[in-house]
Amino acid sequence: MADFLIAVAGFVLAMVALGLVRVLRGPASADRMMAAQLLGTGGIAALLLLAAATDMPALVDVALALALLDAFASVAFVMGGSRSEVREPDATEPHEHGA
Amino acid sequence: MTMAMALDSGLAVVVLAVAGWTIAARGTFAAVVGFVSYGLLLTLVWVRLEAVDVALTEAAIGSGLTGALLIGAAARLRAGEASPVEGPGVVLRLEIAVLSATVAVALAIAVLLLPDPAPTLAPAAAENATATGLGNPVTNVLIAFRAMDTLLEKVVLALALVGVWSLAPDRVWGGYPGPRHRSDPHGVLAFFARLLPPLGIVVGIYILWAGADHPGGAFQGGTILAAMWLLVMMAGLTDAPPVSRRWLRLVLIVGPVVFLVVGLGGLWLGDAFLAYPAAHAKPLILTIEFAMTLTIAATLGLLLAGPPERKLS
Amino acid sequence: MVRDVFTIVMVAAGAFFFLAGTVGLLRFPDTLTRLHALTKADNLGLGLVVLGLLLRVQGPLGALKLVAVWLLVQLAGATVSQLIAGAARRGEPSA
């Protein structure tokens, strides 16, 4: 059972690596923004599997932290990767810069 | 080859590949994405090395917060990058490559030639693990055995923040950090920034609390709190506080001050600076950790918010 | 015994959805469709893995944490997909 879980964790990792090939190649920056999302989900899955396989429940805490920080990083990517501020379909007035 | 070894080898290959891609990537944004990916993969490496506290810190700071910091920097640079990037010339690149390779080789030699058994204080730390009543040996080292380091680290954080603030032009000194972010109050981002932070705060405090006996601690908990605060600021639901506010500055120093007070108390009531009287060790340590979490959260949040850009009206 | 079989089946199914998501990511023609494939891994892949591992944890707190991780990933995935799709639709140039 532990071996099986570790094998699945390795498989998920391989899938993530393959997916990375695509998102890192782009070409649009939106493609690259998906990298954090993909890695986050795959990493979390691998962590949960390893937590059960190696009997380290603390890894679930790492997965929890990773989920939060990954969400934050993805939002930062989207806001920083766009040339303008994030605008929803009906945006409010533009922000001010202290020039 | 066992399953675990196969996993580790695969992980090593992917980490190296991503690192190589990050160096070769064109464009700052792509490189930052690669860097964050590298950080996330390193988290798994730390886990495989059974350093779960380090893995937590890597996930939180190494990829999450540092990634956001670099993205902000890349976005600011892009505004001035109208012309094709004037990168370093070939000669400079060669010199950098030679220097990096030298450092890598020196490190490899140092690691491979370590005396066996390697000199280490780990057994001594493990022996005295019950001295403070905490179950997590890493927290023991950070707060009890090497408390001076941790105290000074917090001071360094405060100095870094002062350094960032000093980048502000004179006329906006003491004003609001960073641009005012705005987004549609009915949009997806605002919804997210209303829903996630309460959960994040619970998780952050949980990780701080769990740091006593399991992997976790003040630094990781504080980073999660900072990330939630930054999310709320990025969605425009609240503005960053002006850096001249008294309460803000108090929060920024409460961590090191409490640490210092307890340390001096140890000098007076106990044996030495930062010695904890045995009966009260755990409550004192928890007090220090709680204060430090507040400081770390505020400091990291303000570090990412940037220098003041808008005048205090 | 039944517990082990359940775990294996669920985790394998979750891994299959990770595979499907990755294949979609590599083969779909443009950003928005790739985004769609990516989020399948979030929901179904991770969800099935969590389901499979739920029977192996000790105590309600462990189970609660697993489910909380999955819900957080769902929430984050849905939001970030919307934001990325918005950025893609605006036609952001490559960087």
Side-chain angles (χ1 to χ4, degrees):
Chain A
M1 175 53 73
D3 267 356
F4 170 72
L5 292 176
I6 294 183
V8 176
F11 177 74
V12 169
L13 208 60
M15 292 296 103
V16 165
L18 279 180
L20 270 182
V21 164
R22 154 53 70 202
V23 301
L24 292 182
R25 261 195 325 150
S29 30
D31 286 301
R32 303 230 174 78
M33 294 174 201
M34 293 195 254
Q37 182 72 8
L38 170 69
L39 263 174
T41 311
I44 289 173
L47 280 171
L48 293 181
L49 287 163
L50 285 174
T54 54
D55 199 23
M56 284 203 274
L59 295 187
V60 181
D61 291 345
V62 180
L64 212 47
L66 194 55
L68 286 170
L69 266 301
D70 195 60
F72 165 70
S74 297
V75 171
F77 273 175
V78 172
M79 295 196 61
S82 320
R83 287 206 174 254
S84 49
E85 290 283 305
V86 171
R87 296 224 195 276
E88 318 283 344
D90 34 293
T92 52
E93 67 272 23
H95 63 269
E96 349 141 24
H97 261 304
Chain B
M1 177 180 282
T2 69
M3 202 53 73
M5 272 186 62
L7 174 68
D8 291 342
S9 337
L11 191 54
V13 167
V14 176
V15 168
L16 288 173
V18 171
W21 184 87
T22 306
I23 297 175
R26 302 179 182 286
T28 334
F29 183 71
V32 174
V33 170
F35 176 79
V36 171
S37 314
Y38 174 72
L40 287 173
L41 287 168
L42 265 191
T43 308
L44 290 174
V45 170
W46 290 125
V47 162
R48 290 303 298 156
L49 291 173
E50 302 203 10
V52 184
D53 293 76
V54 185
L56 258 177
T57 314
E58 177 75 45
I61 300 228
S63 58
L65 239 56
T66 311
L69 190 65
L70 288 175
I71 282 286
R76 281 174 203 249
L77 282 178
R78 193 191 304 197
E81 247 179 77
S83 51
V85 180
E86 306 166 1
V90 175
V91 174
L92 188 56
R93 280 177 198 256
L94 271 176
E95 290 172 353
I96 294 174
V98 166
L99 204 56
S100 307
T102 312
V103 170
V105 167
L107 273 177
I109 292 179
V111 169
L112 289 172
L113 293 183
L114 273 180
D116 190 13
T120 171
L121 288 171
E127 269 170 30
N128 295 307
T130 52
T132 51
L134 297 176
N136 183 0
V138 174
T139 308
N140 264 338
V141 169
L142 283 179
I143 304 278
F145 304 149
R146 293 282 224 138
M148 182 71 96
D149 282 351
T150 312
L151 170 59
L152 292 177
E153 272 171 22
K154 303 302 164 280
V155 176
V156 166
L157 269 184
L159 287 176
L161 188 58
V162 172
V164 167
W165 284 352
S166 67
L167 293 172
D170 277 350
R171 55 189 173 75
V172 295
W173 174 253
Y176 296 87
R180 175 75 161 104
H181 296 275
R182 285 180 200 280
S183 68
D184 180 7
H186 300 293
V188 173
L189 188 55
F191 167 73
F192 191 52
R194 285 198 190 96
L195 194 50
L196 194 66
L199 304 172
I201 291 176
V202 170
V203 172
I205 297 182
Y206 163 72
I207 292 209
L208 159 68
W209 187 253
D213 294 314
H214 303 290
F219 207 54
Q220 295 93 333
T223 310
I224 293 177
L225 293 178
M228 294 299 109
W229 187 30
L230 282 165
L231 185 60
V232 172
M233 283 199 279
M234 285 200 294
L237 291 180
T238 183
D239 198 1
V243 300
S244 52
R245 288 272 180 267
R246 169 94 32 104
W247 65 263
L248 182 66
R249 297 190 175 186
L250 278 176
V251 169
L252 286 172
I253 62 168
V254 71
V257 162
V258 167
F259 212 153
L260 204 54
V261 163
V262 171
L264 290 172
L267 193 59
W268 183 34
L269 296 169
D271 311 314
F273 182 58
L274 285 176
Y276 305 112
H280 307 291
K282 190 158 182 184
L284 278 177
I285 288 177
L286 288 177
T287 313
I288 293 176
E289 289 227 287
F290 185 66
M292 277 211 312
T293 307
L294 284 177
T295 297
I296 290 169
T299 310
L300 287 177
L302 286 173
L303 272 176
L304 260 85
E309 282 179 25
R310 286 168 288 141
K311 218 158 53 153
L312 192 60
S313 50
Chain C
M1 181 59 208
V2 174
R3 188 189 293 193
D4 278 358
V5 167
F6 179 76
T7 300
I8 291 180
V9 166
M10 286 296 139
V11 167
F16 167 72
F17 276 105
F18 269 104
L19 172 66
T22 304
V23 166
L25 200 58
L26 288 173
R27 302 278 297 165
F28 278 170
D30 78 59
T31 306
L32 289 177
T33 48
R34 286 197 281 264
L35 196 55
H36 173 81
L38 179 60
T39 53
K40 293 306 143 267
D42 282 357
N43 299 349
L44 290 165
L46 192 60
L48 287 169
V49 166
V50 163
L51 200 55
L53 294 177
L54 265 181
L55 290 187
R56 297 182 55 89
V57 293
Q58 290 91 348
L61 183 61
L64 186 65
K65 276 200 275 189
L66 277 182
V67 174
V69 167
W70 180 54
L71 289 177
L72 273 179
V73 170
Q74 289 260 56
L75 175 65
T79 307
V80 170
S81 305
Q82 289 278 329
L83 294 174
I84 293 180
R89 209 164 56 97
R90 279 195 299 277
E92 301 301 329
S94 55

